[in-house]
Amino acid sequence: MNLTARILIGMASGLALGLLIQLSGIGPEHWIRVYFTDGLIDAGGDIFIRSLKLMVVPLVFVSLVCGAASLGGHGNMGRVGGKTVGLYLFTTGVAITIALVLALLIAPGEGASSADLVPSEFQAQPAQSIKDTLVDIFPTNPVTAMAEGRMLQVIVFALLLGVALSRTGEAGVRVCGFFDDLNEIMMKLITMLIELAPIGVFCLMTTLFSKVGWQEIFKLLSYFMTVILALAIHASLVYPTLLALLARINPLKFINKMREPMLVAFSTSSSGATLPVTLQAVKKRVGVKNEVASFAIPLGATINMDGTAIMQGVATVFIAQFYAIDLSLSDYLMVILTATMASIGTAGVPGVGLIMLAMVLDQVGLPVEGIMLIIGVDRLLDMLRTSVNVLGDGTVATIVARSENDLDLTVFEDPDAGMDSDQV
Ligand code: ASP
């Protein structure tokens, strides 16, 4: 049985078991919850996420040094970097525009009754200034950057090292060979870890669905469905159109090849933890060469969050409508700008998108405690938007690779590429 089928079975059985435990009305003190769902199963889920996160820093570093060395060697780095960042910003801008238009048409906040929804206090975190955000990208100590998992700093160091390698002649070639070998070994390690994904997602889904609060969804059905609709439009129309027009490839084949990272993103709600799986799928299944993939995918997992921007757009309109505050056209433009910035600043971990929403609300003078209205349904939406975030990273990487002649079409056209774990 192939890996996707096993992951799907793991997800479905976790979902069924979690719901069964929830519906059976077992209290929090019961041994099934204490030792099983909150004990063994929760530990299983945590171990799975930890083993993925374990790979992130070494993998990004090793693959990016090699990637940057060949990009630097060809003098293509600026162009590839520009295209990648430009496309990330563009897709996020489109995502949030779709979200705003849809939310204004559906008006989810107008039907929301204030008797059902009572916001409590919300402690907004002060937003970092643009200057500090910019300065913070540059590491003072690469080891600290790696130890603290600061992805943008690790990316900067790897890029610099890669460029220096490409300019150091003999020594550079030797060290690059070493990094190339290490990269292959890392990819092998990921393949081994992904084999555990069916069990990992089973554990994550069981814990989540044994707790998830359904009542909140009914109270916020209109908001919930508007976010889902906007995510669906973005994933099924915007990305395929861009892939067909700019990369001239079959979008359905592409989405099919991205199914494993999307499923892992859905189960973990973390594009950061999914990064190793995304990188592997984009390289081995889609056929994006390491030069582009090793740069675009880690950068995307850090700064590109289209799904998050969609949630923030719908949430802003919902909160404005709930409090009956009119937003002007310039307010909406401000929302597009700040939500794009906020999604860049959003780390790829569960639930952060909601915290960053405070920045967007603040900019247009909406009450930040409005976040408390939607917090109850955010866990489920987080799963869906993280899948869209990851699909967006893959889409941009593929388009950039195609434009640079770095997309291997034989790999892309081969339905079995990357499926045989021994080849990886
Ligand atoms: N969980 C999202 C991600 O990791 C971020 C967010 O929207 O909260 O991509």
Side-chain angles (χ1 to χ4, degrees), residues 18-19 21-22 33 37-38 42 205-215:
L19 284 181
I21 292 173
Q22 173 159 176
R33 281 211 190 264
T37 42
D38 296 347
D42 196 32
M205 298 299 272
T206 308
T207 325
L208 178 68
F209 281 92
S210 70
K211 297 200 178 118
V212 78
W214 297 104
Q215 307 84 322

PDB file of all heavy atoms in Angstrom, residues 18-19 21-22 33 37-38 42 205-215:
ATOM      1  N   GLY A  18     -11.064   9.540  17.857  1.00  0.00           N
ATOM      2  CA  GLY A  18     -11.183  10.781  18.639  1.00  0.00           C
ATOM      3  C   GLY A  18     -12.646  11.152  18.836  1.00  0.00           C
ATOM      4  O   GLY A  18     -13.083  11.468  19.945  1.00  0.00           O
ATOM      5  N   LEU A  19     -13.419  11.079  17.737  1.00  0.00           N
ATOM      6  CA  LEU A  19     -14.839  11.436  17.838  1.00  0.00           C
ATOM      7  C   LEU A  19     -15.566  10.474  18.765  1.00  0.00           C
ATOM      8  O   LEU A  19     -16.415  10.871  19.571  1.00  0.00           O
ATOM      9  CB  LEU A  19     -15.489  11.400  16.453  1.00  0.00           C
ATOM     10  CG  LEU A  19     -15.156  12.586  15.546  1.00  0.00           C
ATOM     11  CD1 LEU A  19     -15.867  12.449  14.219  1.00  0.00           C
ATOM     12  CD2 LEU A  19     -15.564  13.897  16.218  1.00  0.00           C
ATOM     13  N   ILE A  21     -14.378   8.856  21.291  1.00  0.00           N
ATOM     14  CA  ILE A  21     -14.058   9.173  22.690  1.00  0.00           C
ATOM     15  C   ILE A  21     -14.823  10.420  23.126  1.00  0.00           C
ATOM     16  O   ILE A  21     -15.397  10.474  24.214  1.00  0.00           O
ATOM     17  CB  ILE A  21     -12.527   9.367  22.858  1.00  0.00           C
ATOM     18  CG1 ILE A  21     -11.835   8.023  22.637  1.00  0.00           C
ATOM     19  CG2 ILE A  21     -12.182   9.936  24.226  1.00  0.00           C
ATOM     20  CD1 ILE A  21     -10.336   8.071  22.601  1.00  0.00           C
ATOM     21  N   GLN A  22     -14.876  11.409  22.222  1.00  0.00           N
ATOM     22  CA  GLN A  22     -15.598  12.632  22.595  1.00  0.00           C
ATOM     23  C   GLN A  22     -17.101  12.365  22.774  1.00  0.00           C
ATOM     24  O   GLN A  22     -17.703  12.769  23.755  1.00  0.00           O
ATOM     25  CB  GLN A  22     -15.398  13.709  21.533  1.00  0.00           C
ATOM     26  CG  GLN A  22     -16.255  14.899  21.827  1.00  0.00           C
ATOM     27  CD  GLN A  22     -15.806  16.188  21.163  1.00  0.00           C
ATOM     28  OE1 GLN A  22     -16.504  17.146  21.302  1.00  0.00           O
ATOM     29  NE2 GLN A  22     -14.690  16.241  20.483  1.00  0.00           N
ATOM     30  N   ARG A  33      -8.803   8.921  29.083  1.00  0.00           N
ATOM     31  CA  ARG A  33      -8.234  10.229  28.724  1.00  0.00           C
ATOM     32  C   ARG A  33      -6.843  10.400  29.350  1.00  0.00           C
ATOM     33  O   ARG A  33      -5.895  10.801  28.685  1.00  0.00           O
ATOM     34  CB  ARG A  33      -9.147  11.359  29.201  1.00  0.00           C
ATOM     35  CG  ARG A  33     -10.334  11.571  28.290  1.00  0.00           C
ATOM     36  CD  ARG A  33     -10.763  13.023  28.279  1.00  0.00           C
ATOM     37  NE  ARG A  33     -12.045  13.171  27.585  1.00  0.00           N
ATOM     38  CZ  ARG A  33     -12.135  13.510  26.311  1.00  0.00           C
ATOM     39  NH1 ARG A  33     -11.060  13.740  25.604  1.00  0.00           N
ATOM     40  NH2 ARG A  33     -13.311  13.621  25.744  1.00  0.00           N
ATOM     41  N   THR A  37      -5.613   8.931  25.596  1.00  0.00           N
ATOM     42  CA  THR A  37      -5.560  10.083  24.659  1.00  0.00           C
ATOM     43  C   THR A  37      -4.547  11.143  25.098  1.00  0.00           C
ATOM     44  O   THR A  37      -3.730  11.600  24.305  1.00  0.00           O
ATOM     45  CB  THR A  37      -6.929  10.766  24.468  1.00  0.00           C
ATOM     46  OG1 THR A  37      -7.559  10.868  25.717  1.00  0.00           O
ATOM     47  CG2 THR A  37      -7.799  10.028  23.496  1.00  0.00           C
ATOM     48  N   ASP A  38      -4.616  11.540  26.390  1.00  0.00           N
ATOM     49  CA  ASP A  38      -3.678  12.589  26.832  1.00  0.00           C
ATOM     50  C   ASP A  38      -2.311  12.009  27.209  1.00  0.00           C
ATOM     51  O   ASP A  38      -1.377  12.761  27.477  1.00  0.00           O
ATOM     52  CB  ASP A  38      -4.239  13.349  28.048  1.00  0.00           C
ATOM     53  CG  ASP A  38      -5.504  14.084  27.674  1.00  0.00           C
ATOM     54  OD1 ASP A  38      -5.768  14.200  26.462  1.00  0.00           O
ATOM     55  OD2 ASP A  38      -6.227  14.535  28.581  1.00  0.00           O
ATOM     56  N   ASP A  42      -1.072  11.203  22.854  1.00  0.00           N
ATOM     57  CA  ASP A  42      -0.537  12.562  22.788  1.00  0.00           C
ATOM     58  C   ASP A  42       0.996  12.518  22.642  1.00  0.00           C
ATOM     59  O   ASP A  42       1.589  13.279  21.867  1.00  0.00           O
ATOM     60  CB  ASP A  42      -0.943  13.314  24.066  1.00  0.00           C
ATOM     61  CG  ASP A  42      -0.778  14.813  23.895  1.00  0.00           C
ATOM     62  OD1 ASP A  42      -0.957  15.290  22.767  1.00  0.00           O
ATOM     63  OD2 ASP A  42      -0.442  15.493  24.884  1.00  0.00           O
ATOM     64  N   MET A 205      -4.556  13.225  15.118  1.00  0.00           N
ATOM     65  CA  MET A 205      -5.994  13.360  14.849  1.00  0.00           C
ATOM     66  C   MET A 205      -6.824  12.838  16.026  1.00  0.00           C
ATOM     67  O   MET A 205      -7.856  13.407  16.357  1.00  0.00           O
ATOM     68  CB  MET A 205      -6.377  12.601  13.569  1.00  0.00           C
ATOM     69  CG  MET A 205      -5.700  13.110  12.341  1.00  0.00           C
ATOM     70  SD  MET A 205      -6.089  14.821  11.961  1.00  0.00           S
ATOM     71  CE  MET A 205      -7.525  14.598  10.994  1.00  0.00           C
ATOM     72  N   THR A 206      -6.356  11.757  16.661  1.00  0.00           N
ATOM     73  CA  THR A 206      -7.112  11.220  17.800  1.00  0.00           C
ATOM     74  C   THR A 206      -7.173  12.262  18.919  1.00  0.00           C
ATOM     75  O   THR A 206      -8.247  12.562  19.447  1.00  0.00           O
ATOM     76  CB  THR A 206      -6.451   9.931  18.353  1.00  0.00           C
ATOM     77  OG1 THR A 206      -6.259   9.030  17.279  1.00  0.00           O
ATOM     78  CG2 THR A 206      -7.297   9.268  19.416  1.00  0.00           C
ATOM     79  N   THR A 207      -6.020  12.824  19.276  1.00  0.00           N
ATOM     80  CA  THR A 207      -6.006  13.802  20.376  1.00  0.00           C
ATOM     81  C   THR A 207      -6.884  14.994  20.025  1.00  0.00           C
ATOM     82  O   THR A 207      -7.697  15.440  20.829  1.00  0.00           O
ATOM     83  CB  THR A 207      -4.568  14.335  20.623  1.00  0.00           C
ATOM     84  OG1 THR A 207      -3.653  13.286  20.384  1.00  0.00           O
ATOM     85  CG2 THR A 207      -4.393  14.864  22.010  1.00  0.00           C
ATOM     86  N   LEU A 208      -6.734  15.488  18.801  1.00  0.00           N
ATOM     87  CA  LEU A 208      -7.481  16.693  18.447  1.00  0.00           C
ATOM     88  C   LEU A 208      -8.992  16.439  18.470  1.00  0.00           C
ATOM     89  O   LEU A 208      -9.751  17.190  19.074  1.00  0.00           O
ATOM     90  CB  LEU A 208      -7.038  17.176  17.066  1.00  0.00           C
ATOM     91  CG  LEU A 208      -7.797  18.399  16.583  1.00  0.00           C
ATOM     92  CD1 LEU A 208      -7.421  19.597  17.447  1.00  0.00           C
ATOM     93  CD2 LEU A 208      -7.490  18.696  15.141  1.00  0.00           C
ATOM     94  N   PHE A 209      -9.424  15.371  17.808  1.00  0.00           N
ATOM     95  CA  PHE A 209     -10.870  15.169  17.680  1.00  0.00           C
ATOM     96  C   PHE A 209     -11.515  14.629  18.953  1.00  0.00           C
ATOM     97  O   PHE A 209     -12.728  14.586  19.055  1.00  0.00           O
ATOM     98  CB  PHE A 209     -11.179  14.314  16.448  1.00  0.00           C
ATOM     99  CG  PHE A 209     -11.104  15.137  15.199  1.00  0.00           C
ATOM    100  CD1 PHE A 209      -9.932  15.246  14.471  1.00  0.00           C
ATOM    101  CD2 PHE A 209     -12.193  15.881  14.789  1.00  0.00           C
ATOM    102  CE1 PHE A 209      -9.846  16.052  13.357  1.00  0.00           C
ATOM    103  CE2 PHE A 209     -12.131  16.690  13.665  1.00  0.00           C
ATOM    104  CZ  PHE A 209     -10.952  16.776  12.938  1.00  0.00           C
ATOM    105  N   SER A 210     -10.700  14.227  19.930  1.00  0.00           N
ATOM    106  CA  SER A 210     -11.313  13.840  21.209  1.00  0.00           C
ATOM    107  C   SER A 210     -11.640  15.100  22.008  1.00  0.00           C
ATOM    108  O   SER A 210     -12.332  15.059  23.001  1.00  0.00           O
ATOM    109  CB  SER A 210     -10.382  12.923  21.992  1.00  0.00           C
ATOM    110  OG  SER A 210      -9.266  13.649  22.443  1.00  0.00           O
ATOM    111  N   LYS A 211     -11.145  16.264  21.531  1.00  0.00           N
ATOM    112  CA  LYS A 211     -11.339  17.500  22.303  1.00  0.00           C
ATOM    113  C   LYS A 211     -12.117  18.586  21.559  1.00  0.00           C
ATOM    114  O   LYS A 211     -12.689  19.448  22.183  1.00  0.00           O
ATOM    115  CB  LYS A 211      -9.965  18.112  22.622  1.00  0.00           C
ATOM    116  CG  LYS A 211      -9.101  17.251  23.492  1.00  0.00           C
ATOM    117  CD  LYS A 211      -8.027  18.096  24.145  1.00  0.00           C
ATOM    118  CE  LYS A 211      -7.173  17.254  25.065  1.00  0.00           C
ATOM    119  NZ  LYS A 211      -5.790  17.221  24.661  1.00  0.00           N
ATOM    120  N   VAL A 212     -12.067  18.536  20.221  1.00  0.00           N
ATOM    121  CA  VAL A 212     -12.518  19.698  19.455  1.00  0.00           C
ATOM    122  C   VAL A 212     -13.964  20.089  19.803  1.00  0.00           C
ATOM    123  O   VAL A 212     -14.825  19.234  19.985  1.00  0.00           O
ATOM    124  CB  VAL A 212     -12.318  19.416  17.945  1.00  0.00           C
ATOM    125  CG1 VAL A 212     -13.394  18.537  17.402  1.00  0.00           C
ATOM    126  CG2 VAL A 212     -12.194  20.677  17.163  1.00  0.00           C
ATOM    127  N   GLY A 213     -14.213  21.391  19.957  1.00  0.00           N
ATOM    128  CA  GLY A 213     -15.544  21.846  20.366  1.00  0.00           C
ATOM    129  C   GLY A 213     -16.424  22.143  19.154  1.00  0.00           C
ATOM    130  O   GLY A 213     -16.175  23.092  18.434  1.00  0.00           O
ATOM    131  N   TRP A 214     -17.444  21.327  18.942  1.00  0.00           N
ATOM    132  CA  TRP A 214     -18.287  21.497  17.754  1.00  0.00           C
ATOM    133  C   TRP A 214     -19.280  22.639  17.920  1.00  0.00           C
ATOM    134  O   TRP A 214     -19.702  23.244  16.932  1.00  0.00           O
ATOM    135  CB  TRP A 214     -19.046  20.198  17.441  1.00  0.00           C
ATOM    136  CG  TRP A 214     -18.103  19.092  17.114  1.00  0.00           C
ATOM    137  CD1 TRP A 214     -17.756  18.053  17.922  1.00  0.00           C
ATOM    138  CD2 TRP A 214     -17.345  18.929  15.912  1.00  0.00           C
ATOM    139  NE1 TRP A 214     -16.826  17.250  17.309  1.00  0.00           N
ATOM    140  CE2 TRP A 214     -16.555  17.765  16.061  1.00  0.00           C
ATOM    141  CE3 TRP A 214     -17.245  19.658  14.722  1.00  0.00           C
ATOM    142  CZ2 TRP A 214     -15.696  17.323  15.072  1.00  0.00           C
ATOM    143  CZ3 TRP A 214     -16.381  19.200  13.742  1.00  0.00           C
ATOM    144  CH2 TRP A 214     -15.619  18.043  13.914  1.00  0.00           C
ATOM    145  N   GLN A 215     -19.697  22.913  19.171  1.00  0.00           N
ATOM    146  CA  GLN A 215     -20.725  23.952  19.378  1.00  0.00           C
ATOM    147  C   GLN A 215     -20.254  25.273  18.792  1.00  0.00           C
ATOM    148  O   GLN A 215     -21.037  26.017  18.200  1.00  0.00           O
ATOM    149  CB  GLN A 215     -21.021  24.171  20.872  1.00  0.00           C
ATOM    150  CG  GLN A 215     -21.374  22.938  21.657  1.00  0.00           C
ATOM    151  CD  GLN A 215     -20.100  22.213  22.117  1.00  0.00           C
ATOM    152  OE1 GLN A 215     -19.107  22.151  21.385  1.00  0.00           O
ATOM    153  NE2 GLN A 215     -20.118  21.638  23.307  1.00  0.00           N
TER     154      GLN A 215
END
